[in-house]
């Protein structure tokens, strides 16, 4: 079944939940709750990548994430680290994280590929063209599926050349990153075309392109909170399309969606249904 990755932002400025879990105790409690709700992994991030966000010093990022990852690991909660920085990735894995989730796919820090190769952990490489302060201006595609596919192929080649096992790489299309609204949908509708059969993580949770899709009178599409049902719809469709994982704020809703898809697919098999 599709893996559910619960989002835990230990930041003051993330677009949906910034500030809610900036304190260590609150972050730990939230991570435990996500696991209780069924998340297979809790993805801990200490630097916001929302549109327009400024960079955080690496030392501050490490200070935010390592105590939380260490405590969750001790509590038996599986974690990943959401970071663009090699030093943070190393510190987080040493504290217990099992996966490095890098929204830059290794482009933001030249040392990342070597560190991941040394750590021998799974690595999520997202499609990325620019930092948050510049990314909206890079939504320039003639064929978004073909271009994202080529750019991710280049990242895989570079990572493998640096010693990262290809079987350890998961690809993320970077929904909302250098893709403002309409350019996100072809990537969701054509997962196999750009992923070339590799494992795929879909991170659509509460993003603004969902708001644009559900906008109508009486719906404040600019409010991330109203995008949860749309997120769950994308989770179900991603699971049906064979995504390796989904990255979400509401783990319980995502787990329910994945299980419904699994039950539906099992019933469609010849041995799965009997009169």
């Amino acid at each position: 079944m599709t893996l559910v990755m619960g989002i835990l932002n230990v930041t003051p400025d993330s677009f949906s939940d910034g500030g809610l879990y900036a304190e260590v105790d609150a972050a730990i409690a939230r991570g435990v709750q996500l696991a209780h709700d069924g998340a297979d992994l809790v993805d801990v991030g200490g630097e916001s990548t929302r549109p327009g966000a400024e960079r955080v010093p690496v030392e501050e990022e490490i200070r935010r994430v390592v105590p939380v990852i260490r405590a969750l690991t001790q509590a038996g909660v599986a974690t990943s680290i959401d970071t663009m920085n090699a030093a943070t990735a190393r510190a987080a894995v040493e504290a217990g994280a099992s996966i490095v989730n890098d929204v830059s796919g290794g482009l933001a820090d030249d040392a990342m590929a070597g560190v991941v190769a040394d750590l021998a952990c799974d690595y999520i490489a997202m499609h990325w063209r620019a930092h948050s302060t510049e990314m909206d201006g890079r939504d320039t595609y003639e064929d978004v599926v073909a271009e994202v596919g080529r750019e991710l192929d280049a990242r895989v080649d570079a990572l493998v050349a640096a010693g990262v096992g290809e079987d350890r790489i998961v690809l993320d299309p970077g929904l909302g990153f250098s893709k403002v609204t309409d350019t996100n949908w072809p990537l969701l509708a054509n997962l196999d075309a750009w992923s070339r059969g590799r494992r795929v993580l879909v991170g659509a949770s509460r993003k603004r392109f969902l708001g644009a899709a559900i906008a109508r009178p009486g719906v404040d599409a600019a409010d991330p909170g109203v995008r949860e049902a749309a997120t769950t719809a994308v989770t179900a469709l991603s699971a049906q399309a064979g995504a390796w994982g989904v990255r979400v704020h509401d783990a319980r809703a995502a787990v329910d969606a994945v299980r419904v898809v699994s039950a539906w697919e099992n019933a469609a098999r010849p041995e799965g249904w009997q009169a």
Side-chain angles (χ1 to χ4, degrees):
M1 286 199 298
T2 297
L3 173 150
V4 173
M5 178 182 285
I7 298 169
L8 178 55
N9 292 315
V10 290
T11 61
D13 56 344
S14 292
F15 81 95
S16 178
D17 55 2
L20 293 179
Y21 312 113
E23 298 299 323
V24 172
D25 289 347
I28 294 167
R30 177 58 179 165
V32 170
Q33 183 63 53
L34 285 166
H36 182 265
D37 288 344
D40 300 287
L41 277 171
V42 173
D43 192 41
V44 183
E47 178 179 21
S48 175
T49 52
R50 63 175 173 75
E54 298 290 340
R55 298 302 310 276
V56 171
V58 175
E59 298 79 9
E60 173 62 14
E61 184 186 33
I62 291 173
R63 185 194 68 78
R64 292 175 180 179
V65 301
V66 165
V68 176
I69 290 171
R70 183 176 293 117
L72 289 175
T73 300
Q74 291 172 350
V77 176
T79 62
S80 54
I81 176 62
D82 173 11
T83 184
M84 293 183 278
N85 296 308
T88 305
R90 183 179 292 281
V93 171
E94 289 174 351
S98 58
I99 297 177
V100 175
N101 179 20
D102 180 358
V103 299
S104 80
L107 290 171
D109 187 339
D110 291 340
M112 181 65 88
V115 166
V116 171
D118 182 53
L119 294 170
C121 61
D122 278 7
Y123 178 70
I124 300 168
M126 196 190 80
H127 177 262
W128 186 85
R129 285 184 163 182
H131 285 290
S132 298
T133 52
E134 305 169 24
M135 65 184 182
D136 283 359
R138 302 294 296 276
D139 185 0
T140 53
Y141 304 91
E142 291 186 6
D143 183 335
V144 67
V145 174
E147 290 172 55
V148 167
R150 286 195 298 269
E151 290 170 32
L152 283 172
D153 283 345
R155 296 313 310 144
V156 170
D157 290 345
L159 291 163
V160 170
V164 180
E166 188 165 0
D167 63 335
R168 293 188 175 278
I169 299 171
V170 179
L171 299 182
D172 180 334
L175 303 174
F177 290 77
S178 299
K179 305 160 197 79
V180 179
T181 51
D182 292 344
T183 42
N184 294 280
W185 294 108
L187 295 167
L188 285 169
N190 297 277
L191 295 185
D192 287 340
W194 57 262
S195 68
R196 324 291 197 228
R198 301 183 182 101
R199 291 182 293 169
V200 170
L201 176 70
V202 172
S205 190
R206 300 180 184 173
K207 288 188 175 177
R208 54 189 168 161
F209 79 95
L210 297 179
I214 63 172
R216 59 190 183 276
V219 174
D220 180 7
D223 176 7
V226 306
R227 306 168 188 165
E228 194 56 57
T231 298
T232 305
V234 171
T235 291
L237 291 166
S238 298
Q240 187 177 52
W244 168 82
V246 290
R247 182 175 182 273
V248 298
H249 294 85
D250 186 339
R252 182 176 302 230
V255 169
D256 286 352
V258 168
R259 289 185 176 182
V260 165
V261 170
S262 179
W264 186 305
E265 291 178 342
N266 287 339
R269 298 186 180 98
E271 70 279 10
W273 177 84
Q274 295 180 358

